Amino acid sequence: MSAEIADPVTGWGRTAPTAAARLVRPRSYEETVRAVRDCGTRGGIPRGLGRAYGDAAQNAGGSLIDMTALDRVVRVDAEAGTVACEAGLSLQRLMEVLLPLGWFLPVTPGTRQVTVGGAIGSDIHGGNHPASGSFSRHVLSLDLLTSDGDIRTVAPGTPLFEATAGGMGLTGVILAATFRLHRVETSLMSVDTERASDLDDLMARLTASECRHRHRYSVGWLDLLASGSSLGRAVLTRGEHAPLAALSARSPARRQPLAFRPGRLPGAPSYVPEGLLGRTTVGILNELWYRRAPRRRTGELQPISAFFHPLDGVPHWNRLYGRGGFVRYQFVVGDGQEEALIRIVRRIVRRGCPSLLALLKRFGVGDPGWLSFPMAGWTLSLDIPTGRTGLGPFLDELDEDVAAAGGRVCLAKDSRLRPELLAAMYPRLDEFRALRAELDPRGVFVSDLSRRLSI
């Protein structure tokens, strides 16, 4: 087991750096037990590939338990469509193993650079939430190392499972999991793309029955610098896994329909001038993106990597926001709160937030995780460079709007929410705190996020 002092450590947004954390990298269950036992007075938190945007996988002055060495595929049941694997395995590696067998992940976020443990601990969601829910819905069992050194097999429907799914690593270290998969015939997506003239138009298209039933995945990219009659103009992308019959006889993909070869572009440079993605630059890029999108195109075949994870093709793309980093702000409001969503979008537009990646999606019924983010309704995520004057107070105001509408912000993206709003957003917070106090009375598992929010 290796150990080193990691200074500083940040999330993917490169904000709120952590000082003097002890990074421990166990290579076995036994070494993980030892790492938990040796956490010390500042405790420890499991960490995967570092793609939480905020401070959920940081622990100032304490231990970070890097799980990426526990990355074995234990068993694939190609008949039943299930996989058992260790928690440090990345979704990319899983796709490399599963796609040639005709299986795909049940849920994937906007990056494949996430571990299985991270996928469960943050209960990741994707563009197929109305049909498939979040990742934990498909988990059949998981092995959890708790603070007393015990390894427990945890099943869905139990309080410990519901606290762990979306629990941000605060109930223990996920060591392994077994979960269901989704059958596919090719590694291509059949994609429909169209423009929406404004926010009302986009919301109508996202809720249309055609969208719900004909397309498994749907997401709208918003231009949050457009105003007036173009407020919320968007490009709507909807997709379904392409069947083998969609490939023409002359298509090169016919020879290897399940091949998975994600492309890769040059990485972002280590130094990027501050303000590169400011209002002017983002305004130009947003205009180009909207104008080049087809008014309506159906059945375009795209590789899975291009459809789900386009930014993964640019290593270290988070550097483009400069040394100050960026805030990924994501919230959800429930069905019936459409006016609240529109009001919040208007406030963001009036503020002139230069967000290059603003995405609106529908959520279906939420899963039972006590701190799981999704709930039936609308979720909007946007990236904002940290250098914007008055950004903190402005986001505080948005938090209050979201809470007043019965919504919540996503903890896996957060680095600045005030603790007094957390209980209003997550009504089962007291149950989570009580179980955690019983399960971990010495406070072994702790993070910068848990301290900041008094979880």
Side-chain angles (χ1 to χ4, degrees):
M1 177 172 60
S2 62
E4 61 184 271
I5 299 299
D7 188 17
V9 174
T10 71
W12 192 246
R14 306 178 78 194
T15 60
T18 282
R22 178 173 175 264
L23 185 65
V24 184
R25 194 166 190 254
R27 296 180 295 270
S28 66
Y29 283 16
E30 293 76 18
E31 289 188 356
T32 310
V33 171
R34 194 186 320 150
V36 169
R37 187 181 62 234
D38 296 343
C39 277
T41 57
R42 293 288 289 180
I45 195 72
R47 183 178 173 93
L49 290 168
R51 288 304 179 103
Y53 284 82
D55 54 3
Q58 297 173 207
N59 184 20
S63 294
L64 300 173
I65 305 171
D66 181 339
M67 296 299 295
T68 56
L70 277 76
D71 61 353
R72 293 183 307 128
V73 176
V74 178
R75 181 180 62 260
V76 177
D77 188 332
E79 294 298 320
T82 63
V83 62
C85 62
E86 292 181 327
L89 187 69
S90 72
L91 299 191
Q92 169 155 331
R93 178 58 186 148
L94 260 179
M95 292 167 68
E96 291 170 351
V97 171
L98 296 173
L99 273 169
L101 302 176
W103 294 101
F104 188 62
L105 301 170
V107 172
T108 179
T111 175
R112 55 186 180 270
Q113 303 304 326
V114 176
T115 63
V116 169
I120 299 170
S122 56
D123 201 14
I124 60 171
H125 56 270
N128 61 336
H129 192 274
S132 302
S134 49
F135 196 89
S136 66
R137 183 181 299 184
H138 306 272
V139 175
L140 301 172
S141 68
L142 59 88
D143 292 341
L144 183 73
L145 170 61
T146 50
S147 65
D148 54 10
D150 285 347
I151 298 175
R152 312 182 187 203
T153 298
V154 185
T158 62
L160 185 52
F161 185 93
E162 294 173 2
T164 300
M168 310 309 296
L170 296 172
T171 61
V173 180
I174 299 171
L175 298 172
T178 301
F179 53 93
R180 290 185 294 266
L181 304 170
H182 178 69
R183 171 71 80 179
V184 296
E185 295 181 8
T186 73
S187 59
L188 298 172
M189 301 296 295
S190 177
V191 182
D192 295 353
T193 306
E194 58 196 88
R195 293 187 206 168
S197 59
D198 57 29
L199 185 56
D200 288 337
D201 185 21
L202 174 63
M203 294 169 71
R205 292 171 190 256
L206 279 168
T207 53
S209 60
E210 175 182 319
C211 178
R212 290 199 304 269
H213 299 301
R214 285 191 54 198
H215 304 88
R216 180 173 294 271
Y217 308 92
S218 300
V219 61
W221 168 87
L222 273 70
D223 180 358
L224 288 179
L225 292 177
S227 58
S229 61
S230 297
L231 178 85
R233 69 176 182 177
V235 177
L236 174 59
T237 304
R238 301 181 286 189
E240 181 57 271
H241 294 278
L244 189 60
L247 277 60
S248 69
R250 297 180 180 179
S251 170
R254 267 281 183 178
R255 293 191 292 273
Q256 292 182 301
L258 291 165
F260 178 60
R261 302 186 185 93
R264 188 178 177 91
L265 297 172
S270 57
Y271 172 75
V272 174
E274 299 299 318
L276 175 65
L277 293 181
R279 182 179 172 88
T280 300
T281 305
V282 171
I284 294 171
L285 292 173
N286 282 0
E287 182 73 24
L288 290 173
W289 181 255
Y290 182 77
R291 294 297 175 188
R292 71 181 292 273
R295 293 187 181 277
R296 183 171 180 83
R297 179 175 61 203
T298 61
E300 180 191 17
L301 294 181
Q302 295 182 8
I304 273 177
S305 56
F307 180 79
F308 288 108
H309 315 121
L311 287 175
D312 281 349
V314 184
H316 307 294
W317 65 263
N318 58 338
R319 294 175 180 170
L320 295 174
Y321 290 89
R323 291 182 179 177
F326 66 99
V327 172
R328 167 66 63 90
Y329 188 74
Q330 183 170 13
F331 68 90
V332 58
V333 294
D335 288 326
Q337 292 292 334
E338 286 77 11
E339 285 303 316
L341 172 66
I342 294 169
R343 184 169 61 250
I344 292 170
V345 169
R346 285 195 179 119
R347 292 193 66 177
I348 295 170
V349 170
R350 284 198 301 269
R351 184 74 183 185
C353 294
S355 180
L356 190 61
L357 295 170
L359 304 176
L360 182 69
K361 292 183 284 192
R362 291 282 293 153
F363 277 164
V365 176
D367 291 292
W370 292 349
L371 297 186
S372 185
F373 169 64
M375 58 186 286
W378 302 89
T379 181
L380 175 65
S381 64
L382 58 150
D383 291 350
I384 311 172
T386 56
R388 303 291 295 175
T389 302
L391 179 60
F394 174 66
L395 293 180
D396 287 344
E397 294 171 3
L398 293 190
D399 291 341
E400 292 173 1
D401 284 352
V402 169
R408 57 184 63 141
V409 300
C410 181
L411 296 181
K413 314 292 174 63
D414 179 57
S415 60
R416 26 82 32 214
L417 178 69
R418 291 175 295 166
E420 58 266 27
L421 289 177
L422 189 65
M425 294 180 172
Y426 289 88
R428 303 195 72 174
L429 177 63
D430 284 344
E431 292 176 74
F432 182 86
R433 285 170 169 160
L435 183 142
R436 185 173 172 230
E438 178 183 348
L439 189 68
D440 184 11
R442 296 183 293 116
V444 171
F445 295 111
V446 65
S447 65
D448 289 356
L449 178 141
S450 72
R451 290 192 188 96
R452 173 170 56 84
L453 295 177
S454 301
I455 298 176

